Amino acid sequence: AIADLVEGGVLERVHGKGTYVTGPQVDSRLHLTSFSREMRDRGLLPATVVLSAREEPADDEVAYALRIRPTRPVVRVERLRTADGTPMAYEVGHYPSALFPGLLDRELGSLYDVFASVYGVVVTSGEQTVRAEAADAHQARVLGIAKRAPLLVQERVTYAGDRVVELAPSAYRADRYRIHMAITPRGPRES
């Protein structure tokens, strides 16, 4: 029975320590939606802890992704995202200050909702890459995991029409998050 619960993701075995009840595990399909909406759709209670928020000059990498000149002001928002109280993701988003004046005075929990309701900027598309990474000391502390624990990092560039509105790498706990993709053949079929 325990082996079945481990296989089902309800229990987790830690070698030399024992068997423990796991937290919520989220299966995500790659699509453009906010973290909060995705968690609510799965019956989980989302929450956001804003760790820091400030305006700063864009470095070369951020400027390139946001299609602005280096040193132009951007809003940098560092957040911890939770589901049912369990840390799920650590995000650092960059947003062009010119598009979102006064953003730092707003509620920064669900930014896509703020963009639409306050600024009239509706997210329409995005490009996302996913990579595996080991947690550094800061990520581990924020997410409550061991240093070098596996993370799934999704780096998203988000658009409203043809304007880039966001560069946001999100580091998800690999023990709590899985990505599902529907794939179809591309190009001519071979016989």
Side-chain angles (χ1 to χ4, degrees), residues 26-42 79 81 91 109-113 123-128 154 156-159 166 168 170 172 177:
V26 174
D27 290 333
S28 177
R29 301 209 183 274
L30 289 180
H31 57 284
L32 187 60
T33 189
S34 73
F35 175 89
S36 298
R37 187 167 291 126
E38 183 177 17
M39 293 304 112
R40 281 193 296 272
D41 288 350
R42 283 162 179 40
R79 302 183 296 174
R81 311 305 292 269
E91 299 178 345
S110 185
L111 288 171
Y112 291 177
D113 292 342
V123 168
T124 56
S125 64
E127 296 174 6
Q128 187 164 276
Q154 298 181 31
R156 181 183 290 180
V157 175
T158 309
Y159 300 85
E166 174 185 51
S170 302
Y172 288 84
Y177 204 80

Side-chain angles (χ1 to χ4, degrees), residues 39-76:
M39 293 304 112
R40 281 193 296 272
D41 288 350
R42 283 162 179 40
L44 302 170
L45 180 64
T48 300
V49 178
V50 177
L51 303 171
S52 71
R54 65 179 179 269
E55 191 171 74
E56 64 184 27
D59 64 23
D60 290 342
E61 179 183 341
V62 170
Y64 179 80
L66 293 177
R67 297 184 188 160
I68 60 175
R69 287 193 320 268
T71 73
R72 296 295 301 166
V74 295
V75 174
R76 180 188 185 276

Side-chain angles (χ1 to χ4, degrees), residues 5-12 21-28 35 38-39 42-44 83-84 86-88 152 172-180:
L5 291 172
V6 169
E7 179 70 26
V10 176
L11 297 177
E12 172 183 24
V21 176
T22 63
Q25 198 167 51
V26 174
D27 290 333
S28 177
F35 175 89
E38 183 177 17
M39 293 304 112
R42 283 162 179 40
L44 302 170
D84 284 350
T86 299
M88 297 292 285
L152 291 174
Y172 288 84
R173 291 176 53 168
D175 64 333
R176 298 285 181 256
Y177 204 80
R178 295 187 308 186
I179 298 172
H180 290 268

